[in-house]
Amino acid sequence: MTLKESTRNPEQAIARHQVKAGDYFLGEIKQGQTFRLVDLEGNQAADVLFYNAKDPSERYSAMDTIRHQGNLYLGAGTTLISNANNELLDIVADTCGRHDTLGGACATESNTVRYSLEKRCMHACRDSWMLAIAEHPEFGIHKRDITHNINFFMNVPVTAQGGLTFADGISAPGKYVELTAKMDIVMLISNCPQLNNPCNGYNPTPIDVIVWN
Amino acid sequence: MSKLIYTTTLPGNGHWSLELRRGSLMTITDIEGGANVGMLFYNPRNLLERYNAPDTLKCQHTFKLERGNCLYSDMGRIFASIVEDHSANGAGNWHDTVCGTSNARSVALRWGQRDYQTDRNQWLQNGYDAFLVELAKYGLSRADMASNINWFSKVVADDAGNIHLDTGNACAGNSVSLRFEMDTLVVLHTCPHPLNNAENYPFKPVQIELGEADPVTADDYCKNFRPENQRGFQNNELYYLAAKN
């Protein structure tokens, strides 16, 4: 795991948004702009999708990114790759060390399988995404465009025997990750409301989005 | 397989799609060893419901697919169960669903440009284009392409997360059998795994057998493989209770 601190000063940022636990953020980041996601209280998971702002059928691809870098985990130095093999963003700073892109997002439907059939009505990331795209048709994003995401601040190690574990515990209050956009992108964040697993310490908390030119 | 209905052989670099009914059994056999079958699943009644690799992996706490695993949609339901999984060397199979599929650029970099005019049926087809061709037949496009399964391809990771394709048990005669738990549109190709580094483009044929599966019993291996799978089966039952026609 490589840690890399940023020299950017939040006082010089052009925008700052706080995303409460269980809320979404949907907005455009221009080519060349850098943004920071801050895990304000620690052990929060930010479930994020990225799109080419001009064509949402081009978007972040977990599988193409994994294959491109030959590694399952994301961190400083990772370039995020689209499903059309273009470079979307670079991770330019990271004080957490590792981010997951295998685990996907929680959904009310998968909650019934993972935890119990009675958990159907507990709020979940995919519902936040559904609300975001329903409330903002101007972005042209549809359910078919909702695919495999990044879980920033989440640690999901794979074992040599092929097991998948939800270890977490590597993030902490104030840890952050910074990305620079290599094209105009749309970012869709679900700040995870999951209450059933350690991805956010059973206590969902807010994150900050800070943007610089 | 209680009743075998149809058998076919697909050459390497081929693609195919078909809609399978609930209760169907599909057995795929790697005829020569080293085959790869890319596969996607959709619900023909609602094409927005599709195979979801992250849900499949995290519901069963696994990075690989093997006998006992169920293949989940994004709606908490099971498209198919892996009811049989045989490896010729007895080591057990290990199937990948993390590495996606090859594309025109990656195939050209490794083995040269695709050129049907010159190569005819020996052209170097790639998985991405093969999927696009089949998807378009159902009104689907790249926006609908989710992560696929790569049958017979074992991808392992070290502690640091570095991945590689382990071809050690990719033997002739390896087979996998899927029992379909929902009506499912199956889209597949036989193009090489995207991490395949063979010197020459591997044209690897597979045999596909279709039949009727034995009914799911209370002691079914896949259903009882994990408590999560029991709940997945319950979600399927609810779906067919509500949408019976």
Side-chain angles (χ1 to χ4, degrees):
Chain A
M1 289 195 256
T2 309
L3 300 183
K4 187 175 180 191
E5 296 202 6
S6 168
T7 56
R8 288 184 177 80
N9 182 353
E11 290 178 5
Q12 293 168 344
I14 58 155
R16 184 165 191 154
H17 313 272
Q18 186 159 112
V19 189
K20 290 180 182 169
D23 284 352
Y24 69 78
F25 171 92
L26 178 58
E28 190 167 345
I29 306 285
K30 294 289 186 189
Q31 182 179 14
Q33 287 184 329
T34 298
F35 63 90
R36 178 187 296 183
L37 303 178
V38 187
D39 185 1
L40 291 171
E41 298 183 30
N43 275 324
Q44 181 60 11
D47 292 38
V48 183
L49 296 159
F50 297 106
Y51 300 89
N52 175 344
K54 295 182 182 63
D55 177 5
S57 77
E58 179 174 12
R59 67 238 170 170
Y60 171 71
S61 168
M63 312 312 159
D64 290 288
T65 300
I66 286 171
R67 213 171 59 240
H68 180 259
Q69 67 175 8
N71 192 288
L72 300 173
Y73 310 124
L74 310 184
T78 296
T79 298
L80 307 185
I81 304 294
S82 79
N83 58 340
N85 280 299
N86 293 315
E87 298 184 348
L88 292 174
L89 303 109
D90 291 326
I91 301 181
V92 294
D94 176 29
T95 61
C96 183
R98 180 184 278 186
H99 307 271
D100 163 64
T101 195
L102 287 178
C106 61
T108 55
E109 292 82 6
S110 66
N111 282 351
T112 67
V113 175
R114 292 195 72 196
Y115 308 114
S116 86
L117 296 173
E118 287 67 42
K119 305 263 184 186
R120 180 179 293 116
C121 291
M122 294 184 72
H123 191 44
C125 280
R126 231 173 283 162
D127 281 5
S128 292
W129 288 338
M130 293 300 141
L131 184 63
I133 63 176
E135 289 187 337
H136 295 280
E138 67 272 21
F139 287 96
I141 301 172
H142 303 284
K143 195 223 174 194
R144 60 172 45 86
D145 304 304
I146 301 294
T147 55
H148 311 137
N149 61 293
I150 299 172
N151 296 306
F152 285 109
F153 310 118
M154 201 170 155
N155 183 26
V156 182
V158 170
T159 69
Q161 293 74 38
L164 192 71
T165 44
F166 294 84
D168 221 317
I170 57 169
S171 192
K175 298 248 182 182
Y176 60 80
V177 58
E178 260 180 35
L179 297 96
T180 299
K182 305 188 87 165
M183 65 171 77
D184 293 351
I185 60 144
V186 169
M187 174 164 63
L188 175 52
I189 303 175
S190 166
N191 191 23
C192 187
Q194 181 58 255
L195 292 167
N196 294 288
N197 77 39
C199 72
N200 38 24
Y202 305 95
N203 176 32
T205 50
I207 59 165
D208 263 1
V209 181
I210 306 170
V211 186
W212 290 268
N213 270 328
Chain B
M1 190 181 296
S2 61
K3 188 178 171 194
L4 179 67
I5 295 171
Y6 176 76
T7 300
T8 190
T9 298
L10 294 187
N13 87 0
H15 51 78
W16 193 31
S17 61
L18 74 169
E19 198 178 315
L20 288 175
R21 278 180 298 106
R22 184 187 199 199
S24 300
L25 191 76
M26 172 187 259
T27 297
I28 315 169
T29 304
D30 179 356
I31 297 173
E32 297 177 0
N36 178 72
V37 179
M39 191 174 285
L40 294 165
F41 300 134
Y42 299 83
N43 177 352
R45 190 198 300 264
N46 172 13
L47 293 167
L48 289 174
E49 180 176 0
R50 61 228 13 208
Y51 174 68
N52 189 291
D55 282 0
T56 299
L57 296 180
K58 72 184 175 189
C59 282
Q60 300 172 97
H61 297 259
T62 187
F63 174 68
K64 61 177 177 179
L65 299 175
E66 59 183 333
R67 179 175 179 245
N69 285 144
C70 295
L71 308 172
Y72 282 85
S73 81
D74 62 292
M75 297 295 282
R77 292 188 275 262
I78 297 169
F79 279 122
S81 303
I82 304 177
V83 291
E84 298 289 343
D85 193 11
H86 299 291
S87 173
N89 67 6
N93 269 332
W94 170 313
H95 309 278
D96 162 55
T97 189
V98 167
C99 290
T101 202
S102 62
N103 54 56
R105 192 187 303 172
S106 69
V107 167
L109 277 172
R110 204 157 295 156
W111 297 300
Q113 294 288 335
R114 188 181 67 168
D115 185 346
Y116 184 79
Q117 177 167 303
T118 307
D119 301 326
R120 297 295 194 262
N121 284 330
Q122 294 299 107
W123 69 337
L124 307 181
Q125 177 64 300
N126 64 80
Y128 187 87
D129 289 356
F131 277 147
L132 278 185
V133 168
E134 289 303 323
L135 290 173
K137 296 172 184 176
Y138 303 90
L140 302 172
S141 67
R142 76 171 178 183
D144 303 285
M145 204 187 299
S147 163
N148 58 284
I149 296 168
N150 289 304
W151 297 112
F152 306 120
S153 293
K154 177 179 182 179
V155 173
V156 294
D158 65 17
D159 287 345
N162 298 305
I163 54 172
H164 80 274
L165 180 68
D166 177 353
T167 56
N169 67 347
C171 308
N174 285 3
S175 69
V176 62
S177 295
L178 308 179
R179 181 183 64 210
F180 284 84
E181 315 293 359
M182 287 176 63
D183 293 351
T184 304
L185 169 62
V186 178
V187 177
L188 65 96
H189 68 65
T190 53
C191 297
H193 189 275
L195 298 183
N196 193 315
N197 275 322
E199 189 175 341
N200 298 309
Y201 181 102
F203 293 94
K204 297 292 185 178
V206 295
Q207 182 186 55
I208 296 182
E209 297 166 283
L210 299 176
E212 289 177 12
D214 293 326
V216 180
T217 54
D219 63 347
D220 183 74
Y221 184 77
C222 298
K223 189 176 181 179
N224 294 292
F225 190 66
R226 292 196 61 94
E228 288 88 344
N229 291 356
Q230 293 178 356
R231 295 193 284 273
F233 271 85
Q234 285 181 272
N235 283 342
N236 277 38
E237 284 173 27
L238 173 64
Y239 183 69
Y240 280 96
L241 172 76
K244 196 170 272 181
N245 61 35

